PDB file of all heavy atoms in Angstrom:
ATOM      1  N   LEU A 274     116.519  92.874  91.598  1.00 97.00           N
ATOM      2  CA  LEU A 274     116.269  93.873  90.519  1.00 97.00           C
ATOM      3  C   LEU A 274     115.322  94.948  90.975  1.00 97.00           C
ATOM      4  O   LEU A 274     114.771  95.694  90.161  1.00 97.00           O
ATOM      5  CB  LEU A 274     115.746  93.180  89.277  1.00 97.00           C
ATOM      6  CG  LEU A 274     116.580  92.063  88.668  1.00 97.00           C
ATOM      7  CD1 LEU A 274     115.885  91.481  87.435  1.00 97.00           C
ATOM      8  CD2 LEU A 274     117.950  92.569  88.280  1.00 97.00           C
ATOM      9  N   ASP A 275     115.106  95.041  92.318  1.00 97.00           N
ATOM     10  CA  ASP A 275     114.173  96.026  92.909  1.00 97.00           C
ATOM     11  C   ASP A 275     112.720  95.778  92.506  1.00 97.00           C
ATOM     12  O   ASP A 275     111.951  96.759  92.412  1.00 97.00           O
ATOM     13  CB  ASP A 275     114.605  97.412  92.578  1.00 97.00           C
ATOM     14  CG  ASP A 275     115.897  97.809  93.304  1.00 97.00           C
ATOM     15  OD1 ASP A 275     116.124  97.289  94.408  1.00 97.00           O
ATOM     16  OD2 ASP A 275     116.679  98.621  92.734  1.00 97.00           O
ATOM     17  N   VAL A 276     112.378  94.546  92.216  1.00 98.00           N
ATOM     18  CA  VAL A 276     111.001  94.189  91.920  1.00 98.00           C
ATOM     19  C   VAL A 276     110.299  93.716  93.196  1.00 98.00           C
ATOM     20  O   VAL A 276     110.803  92.784  93.871  1.00 98.00           O
ATOM     21  CB  VAL A 276     110.898  93.111  90.872  1.00 98.00           C
ATOM     22  CG1 VAL A 276     109.444  92.625  90.664  1.00 98.00           C
ATOM     23  CG2 VAL A 276     111.439  93.583  89.538  1.00 98.00           C
ATOM     24  N   LYS A 277     109.222  94.384  93.594  1.00 98.00           N
ATOM     25  CA  LYS A 277     108.466  93.969  94.762  1.00 98.00           C
ATOM     26  C   LYS A 277     107.143  93.338  94.318  1.00 98.00           C
ATOM     27  O   LYS A 277     106.306  93.997  93.733  1.00 98.00           O
ATOM     28  CB  LYS A 277     108.212  95.151  95.699  1.00 98.00           C
ATOM     29  CG  LYS A 277     107.478  94.715  96.980  1.00 98.00           C
ATOM     30  CD  LYS A 277     107.058  95.914  97.816  1.00 98.00           C
ATOM     31  CE  LYS A 277     106.349  95.458  99.115  1.00 98.00           C
ATOM     32  NZ  LYS A 277     105.106  94.724  98.829  1.00 98.00           N
ATOM     33  N   MET A 278     106.956  92.098  94.644  1.00 98.00           N
ATOM     34  CA  MET A 278     105.712  91.382  94.319  1.00 98.00           C
ATOM     35  C   MET A 278     104.776  91.502  95.512  1.00 98.00           C
ATOM     36  O   MET A 278     105.102  91.145  96.641  1.00 98.00           O
ATOM     37  CB  MET A 278     106.007  89.883  94.033  1.00 98.00           C
ATOM     38  CG  MET A 278     107.008  89.670  92.913  1.00 98.00           C
ATOM     39  SD  MET A 278     106.462  90.287  91.279  1.00 98.00           S
ATOM     40  CE  MET A 278     105.108  89.171  90.907  1.00 98.00           C
ATOM     41  N   ARG A 279     103.610  92.048  95.287  1.00 98.00           N
ATOM     42  CA  ARG A 279     102.679  92.270  96.376  1.00 98.00           C
ATOM     43  C   ARG A 279     102.164  90.986  97.009  1.00 98.00           C
ATOM     44  O   ARG A 279     102.032  89.973  96.314  1.00 98.00           O
ATOM     45  CB  ARG A 279     101.465  93.097  95.868  1.00 98.00           C
ATOM     46  CG  ARG A 279     101.721  94.566  95.970  1.00 98.00           C
ATOM     47  CD  ARG A 279     100.611  95.375  95.308  1.00 98.00           C
ATOM     48  NE  ARG A 279     100.900  95.578  93.878  1.00 98.00           N
ATOM     49  CZ  ARG A 279     100.468  96.523  93.134  1.00 98.00           C
ATOM     50  NH1 ARG A 279      99.660  97.450  93.607  1.00 98.00           N
ATOM     51  NH2 ARG A 279     100.804  96.649  91.859  1.00 98.00           N
ATOM     52  N   THR A 280     101.903  91.053  98.321  1.00 98.00           N
ATOM     53  CA  THR A 280     101.226  89.933  98.996  1.00 98.00           C
ATOM     54  C   THR A 280      99.822  89.750  98.468  1.00 98.00           C
ATOM     55  O   THR A 280      99.290  90.615  97.757  1.00 98.00           O
ATOM     56  CB  THR A 280     101.167  90.160 100.490  1.00 98.00           C
ATOM     57  OG1 THR A 280     100.289  91.269 100.715  1.00 98.00           O
ATOM     58  CG2 THR A 280     102.553  90.463 101.079  1.00 98.00           C
ATOM     59  N   PHE A 281      99.219  88.624  98.799  1.00 98.00           N
ATOM     60  CA  PHE A 281      97.856  88.398  98.280  1.00 98.00           C
ATOM     61  C   PHE A 281      96.912  89.482  98.861  1.00 98.00           C
ATOM     62  O   PHE A 281      96.051  89.998  98.153  1.00 98.00           O
ATOM     63  CB  PHE A 281      97.354  87.011  98.745  1.00 98.00           C
ATOM     64  CG  PHE A 281      96.022  86.682  98.150  1.00 98.00           C
ATOM     65  CD1 PHE A 281      95.835  86.492  96.760  1.00 98.00           C
ATOM     66  CD2 PHE A 281      94.928  86.502  98.975  1.00 98.00           C
ATOM     67  CE1 PHE A 281      94.623  86.203  96.246  1.00 98.00           C
ATOM     68  CE2 PHE A 281      93.696  86.136  98.430  1.00 98.00           C
ATOM     69  CZ  PHE A 281      93.532  86.015  97.074  1.00 98.00           C
ATOM     70  N   GLU A 282      97.106  89.805 100.137  1.00 98.00           N
ATOM     71  CA  GLU A 282      96.279  90.854 100.774  1.00 98.00           C
ATOM     72  C   GLU A 282      96.395  92.170 100.025  1.00 98.00           C
ATOM     73  O   GLU A 282      95.407  92.868  99.761  1.00 98.00           O
ATOM     74  CB  GLU A 282      96.635  90.981 102.259  1.00 98.00           C
ATOM     75  CG  GLU A 282      96.252  89.774 103.124  1.00 98.00           C
ATOM     76  CD  GLU A 282      97.234  88.628 103.066  1.00 98.00           C
ATOM     77  OE1 GLU A 282      98.260  88.714 102.280  1.00 98.00           O
ATOM     78  OE2 GLU A 282      97.026  87.630 103.734  1.00 98.00           O
ATOM     79  N   GLU A 283      97.629  92.586  99.760  1.00 98.00           N
ATOM     80  CA  GLU A 283      97.897  93.809  99.037  1.00 98.00           C
ATOM     81  C   GLU A 283      97.312  93.825  97.638  1.00 98.00           C
ATOM     82  O   GLU A 283      96.694  94.789  97.170  1.00 98.00           O
ATOM     83  CB  GLU A 283      99.385  94.089  98.963  1.00 98.00           C
ATOM     84  CG  GLU A 283     100.014  94.439 100.314  1.00 98.00           C
ATOM     85  CD  GLU A 283     101.541  94.454 100.235  1.00 98.00           C
ATOM     86  OE1 GLU A 283     102.134  93.782  99.347  1.00 98.00           O
ATOM     87  OE2 GLU A 283     102.116  95.067 101.149  1.00 98.00           O
ATOM     88  N   GLY A 284      97.435  92.658  96.958  1.00 98.00           N
ATOM     89  CA  GLY A 284      96.936  92.525  95.586  1.00 98.00           C
ATOM     90  C   GLY A 284      95.396  92.599  95.532  1.00 98.00           C
ATOM     91  O   GLY A 284      94.840  93.291  94.678  1.00 98.00           O
ATOM     92  N   ILE A 285      94.752  91.967  96.481  1.00 98.00           N
ATOM     93  CA  ILE A 285      93.294  91.953  96.523  1.00 98.00           C
ATOM     94  C   ILE A 285      92.745  93.379  96.844  1.00 98.00           C
ATOM     95  O   ILE A 285      91.733  93.779  96.251  1.00 98.00           O
ATOM     96  CB  ILE A 285      92.710  90.938  97.498  1.00 98.00           C
ATOM     97  CG1 ILE A 285      93.035  89.499  97.031  1.00 98.00           C
ATOM     98  CG2 ILE A 285      91.206  91.022  97.676  1.00 98.00           C
ATOM     99  CD1 ILE A 285      92.513  89.174  95.630  1.00 98.00           C
ATOM    100  N   LEU A 286      93.422  94.074  97.714  1.00 98.00           N
ATOM    101  CA  LEU A 286      92.994  95.422  98.003  1.00 98.00           C
ATOM    102  C   LEU A 286      93.125  96.328  96.767  1.00 98.00           C
ATOM    103  O   LEU A 286      92.282  97.198  96.489  1.00 98.00           O
ATOM    104  CB  LEU A 286      93.827  95.984  99.162  1.00 98.00           C
ATOM    105  CG  LEU A 286      93.454  95.383 100.548  1.00 98.00           C
ATOM    106  CD1 LEU A 286      94.446  95.794 101.588  1.00 98.00           C
ATOM    107  CD2 LEU A 286      92.042  95.741 100.991  1.00 98.00           C
ATOM    108  N   GLU A 287      94.170  96.092  95.970  1.00 98.00           N
ATOM    109  CA  GLU A 287      94.349  96.852  94.731  1.00 98.00           C
ATOM    110  C   GLU A 287      93.309  96.465  93.729  1.00 98.00           C
ATOM    111  O   GLU A 287      92.773  97.336  93.014  1.00 98.00           O
ATOM    112  CB  GLU A 287      95.772  96.645  94.196  1.00 98.00           C
ATOM    113  CG  GLU A 287      96.039  97.327  92.865  1.00 98.00           C
ATOM    114  CD  GLU A 287      95.904  98.877  92.961  1.00 98.00           C
ATOM    115  OE1 GLU A 287      96.083  99.470  94.026  1.00 98.00           O
ATOM    116  OE2 GLU A 287      95.613  99.484  91.888  1.00 98.00           O
ATOM    117  N   VAL A 288      92.946  95.212  93.628  1.00 98.00           N
ATOM    118  CA  VAL A 288      91.839  94.746  92.745  1.00 98.00           C
ATOM    119  C   VAL A 288      90.533  95.500  93.121  1.00 98.00           C
ATOM    120  O   VAL A 288      89.831  96.017  92.297  1.00 98.00           O
ATOM    121  CB  VAL A 288      91.653  93.235  92.868  1.00 98.00           C
ATOM    122  CG1 VAL A 288      90.320  92.798  92.249  1.00 98.00           C
ATOM    123  CG2 VAL A 288      92.794  92.489  92.132  1.00 98.00           C
ATOM    124  N   LYS A 289      90.270  95.523  94.434  1.00 98.00           N
ATOM    125  CA  LYS A 289      89.027  96.240  94.900  1.00 98.00           C
ATOM    126  C   LYS A 289      89.065  97.684  94.498  1.00 98.00           C
ATOM    127  O   LYS A 289      88.087  98.222  93.992  1.00 98.00           O
ATOM    128  CB  LYS A 289      88.950  96.076  96.399  1.00 98.00           C
ATOM    129  CG  LYS A 289      87.659  96.738  96.968  1.00 98.00           C
ATOM    130  CD  LYS A 289      87.602  96.565  98.474  1.00 98.00           C
ATOM    131  CE  LYS A 289      86.279  97.133  99.048  1.00 98.00           C
ATOM    132  NZ  LYS A 289      86.227  97.027 100.507  1.00 98.00           N
ATOM    133  N   LYS A 290      90.220  98.288  94.625  1.00 98.00           N
ATOM    134  CA  LYS A 290      90.391  99.729  94.300  1.00 98.00           C
ATOM    135  C   LYS A 290      90.165  99.941  92.814  1.00 98.00           C
ATOM    136  O   LYS A 290      89.461 100.872  92.381  1.00 98.00           O
ATOM    137  CB  LYS A 290      91.803 100.157  94.687  1.00 98.00           C
ATOM    138  CG  LYS A 290      92.115 101.629  94.506  1.00 98.00           C
ATOM    139  CD  LYS A 290      93.517 101.897  95.019  1.00 98.00           C
ATOM    140  CE  LYS A 290      94.041 103.261  94.565  1.00 98.00           C
ATOM    141  NZ  LYS A 290      95.414 103.477  94.944  1.00 98.00           N
ATOM    142  N   GLN A 291      90.735  99.024  91.988  1.00 97.00           N
ATOM    143  CA  GLN A 291      90.528  99.156  90.516  1.00 97.00           C
ATOM    144  C   GLN A 291      89.079  98.947  90.119  1.00 97.00           C
ATOM    145  O   GLN A 291      88.584  99.594  89.209  1.00 97.00           O
ATOM    146  CB  GLN A 291      91.469  98.188  89.772  1.00 97.00           C
ATOM    147  CG  GLN A 291      92.939  98.584  89.872  1.00 97.00           C
ATOM    148  CD  GLN A 291      93.834  97.636  89.099  1.00 97.00           C
ATOM    149  OE1 GLN A 291      93.396  96.829  88.286  1.00 97.00           O
ATOM    150  NE2 GLN A 291      95.149  97.722  89.360  1.00 97.00           N
ATOM    151  N   LEU A 292      88.416  98.031  90.763  1.00 96.00           N
ATOM    152  CA  LEU A 292      87.021  97.751  90.462  1.00 96.00           C
ATOM    153  C   LEU A 292      86.110  98.921  90.810  1.00 96.00           C
ATOM    154  O   LEU A 292      85.105  99.139  90.187  1.00 96.00           O
ATOM    155  CB  LEU A 292      86.539  96.493  91.193  1.00 96.00           C
ATOM    156  CG  LEU A 292      87.085  95.134  90.673  1.00 96.00           C
ATOM    157  CD1 LEU A 292      86.666  94.034  91.599  1.00 96.00           C
ATOM    158  CD2 LEU A 292      86.556  94.909  89.228  1.00 96.00           C
ATOM    159  N   ASN A 293      86.521  99.666  91.831  1.00 94.00           N
ATOM    160  CA  ASN A 293      85.733 100.832  92.269  1.00 94.00           C
ATOM    161  C   ASN A 293      86.088 102.071  91.582  1.00 94.00           C
ATOM    162  O   ASN A 293      85.432 103.125  91.829  1.00 94.00           O
ATOM    163  CB  ASN A 293      85.903 100.995  93.806  1.00 94.00           C
ATOM    164  CG  ASN A 293      85.242  99.852  94.575  1.00 94.00           C
ATOM    165  OD1 ASN A 293      84.319  99.234  94.103  1.00 94.00           O
ATOM    166  ND2 ASN A 293      85.742  99.570  95.794  1.00 94.00           N
TER     167      ASN A 293
END
Side-chain angles (χ1 to χ4, degrees):
L274 301 179
D275 291 329
V276 173
K277 183 188 181 298
M278 304 297 292
R279 271 171 274 204
T280 65
F281 186 65
E282 290 82 358
E283 290 168 338
I285 294 301
L286 288 170
E287 179 60 26
V288 164
K289 183 180 181 182
K290 185 176 165 186
Q291 290 182 14
L292 288 172
N293 291 335

